[in-house]
Amino acid sequence: MSRTTIPDLSEKYAGGTPLSMLTAYDAPIARQVDRAGVDMILVGDSAGDNHLGYDDTLPVTMEEALSNTGAVVRGTREAFIVADMPFLSYGTSLSESVENAGRFLKEADADAVKLETAPYGEATIEIVDRCTELGIPVQGHVGLTPQRENQIGGAYVQGRDTDTSTTGEALVETAQRLEEAGAFSVVLETVSEPVARRVTEAVDVPTIGIGSGRYVDGQVLVVSDVLGLGAEPYSLSKQYADLDSAIRSAVEQYVAEVESGEFPTAENAFDPIEEG
Ligand code: KIV
């Protein structure tokens, strides 16, 4: 099998089969995610709190994101790889944004980049336009945009028309502008189900929801939540495994066997000494 392309994704979308996407940040996990048949892997800036030990996504640097992306690409063969652009690696100027986006393709061999867009965010829509004109595929991201957490003030549901939420109209129009700018897909994060459905009906590119309900064209989750690997449970996610417990019990057993002398045995030694 060869690597999934945008035409492959478009064909699946046109056929009405939901698209699956999961994050990954390193080669071993990405390898399993890829072999399990996910359509797209997002090397998310959620690496900040799920992989790099930061409190949130804001500290993630270009070098860290490039390193994570390179590892995920090297560990995979089929999934379409989307690299998430870190906070302030885009938006300060058009040229720096495009150059940083291009680095993910040139240096880490990603297939596309993703960047977050505030409601009606003209600066990022212009970046999407320029990147796609130059051949850098872009996935948009609207709704809850964690890189703006200090402005939003919390993980509030978006599309509800309240003080802590942008309007449904703003989300629909922003997604439409991203599509016009050339985005091949749009992530909807923590958007109320009715508004996620409105956005999905308003654009002709696949919407990929996280915490945005059922009426979208695909789903993305954070791999640590799915695997139960060092993550705070997220209510709208689903945990399919408990790797924390599996890892802890394996390591406890290892420590016990080292302390008791049960490990290593002669089978774990080169030229083992014959015991008389
Ligand atoms: O970084 C990430 O994991 C994301 C998803 C929440 C969509 O952007």
Side-chain angles (χ1 to χ4, degrees):
M1 284 289 279
S2 53
R3 190 140 328 249
T4 301
T5 61
I6 290 179
D8 295 331
L9 297 170
S10 304
E11 194 182 322
K12 193 162 179 179
Y13 162 65
T17 307
L19 298 169
S20 58
M21 188 178 198
L22 205 55
T23 69
Y25 318 105
D26 60 29
I29 299 271
R31 185 171 296 121
Q32 300 314 320
V33 169
D34 188 50
R35 286 187 183 161
V38 83
D39 294 309
M40 290 182 271
I41 294 180
L42 172 63
V43 192
D45 64 351
S46 50
D49 40 333
N50 288 279
H51 181 65
L52 295 168
Y54 298 130
D55 287 338
D56 54 37
T57 62
L58 300 194
V60 176
T61 65
M62 271 298 291
E63 299 315 316
E64 287 166 337
L66 283 165
S67 169
N68 294 343
T69 305
V72 166
V73 170
R74 288 188 293 277
T76 57
R77 285 194 296 251
E78 290 179 33
F80 185 85
I81 310 295
V82 181
D84 213 4
M85 295 193 68
F87 180 54
L88 295 190
S89 68
Y90 60 99
T92 51
S93 77
L94 183 59
S95 61
E96 193 186 18
S97 310
V98 176
E99 276 168 25
N100 280 336
R103 288 187 69 192
F104 284 101
L105 274 67
K106 284 168 82 103
E107 297 174 32
D109 211 12
D111 299 306
V113 298
K114 173 171 88 55
L115 49 85
E116 297 181 6
T117 295
Y120 305 109
E122 286 176 13
T124 48
I125 290 166
E126 189 184 8
I127 294 163
V128 174
D129 195 26
R130 184 67 70 95
C131 283
T132 56
E133 182 183 331
L134 296 176
I136 304 170
V138 184
Q139 183 170 54
H141 179 162
V142 301
L144 186 70
T145 45
Q147 291 177 6
R148 295 173 54 250
E149 68 180 13
N150 290 315
Q151 212 162 26
I152 298 168
Y156 298 111
V157 178
Q158 298 299 300
R160 275 187 171 163
D161 224 342
T162 61
D163 286 351
T164 55
S165 163
T166 193
T167 62
E169 202 49 44
L171 290 174
V172 168
E173 281 190 33
T174 307
Q176 286 174 325
R177 287 185 198 177
L178 285 166
E179 180 185 13
E180 280 161 25
F184 72 92
S185 160
V186 180
V187 167
L188 305 180
E189 181 167 352
T190 321
V191 173
S192 73
E193 192 169 66
V195 170
R197 177 152 79 175
R198 269 176 66 195
V199 174
T200 300
E201 286 168 357
V203 296
D204 286 325
V205 291
T207 55
I208 309 294
I210 174 163
S212 297
R214 296 161 291 174
Y215 302 98
V216 288
D217 301 309
Q219 298 291 331
V220 56
L221 286 177
V222 171
V223 74
S224 326
D225 297 333
V226 168
L227 299 181
L229 181 62
E232 295 288 321
Y234 169 49
S235 63
L236 295 186
S237 185
K238 186 166 176 187
Q239 188 180 328
Y240 291 83
D242 183 5
L243 290 199
D244 278 348
S245 301
I247 292 170
R248 207 167 39 249
S249 83
V251 174
E252 279 167 4
Q253 197 179 338
Y254 165 72
V255 170
E257 290 191 8
V258 168
E259 288 179 358
S260 69
E262 202 177 327
F263 177 86
T265 65
E267 280 161 23
N268 307 115
F270 291 113
D271 308 329
I273 297 166
E274 297 266 340
E275 282 178 345

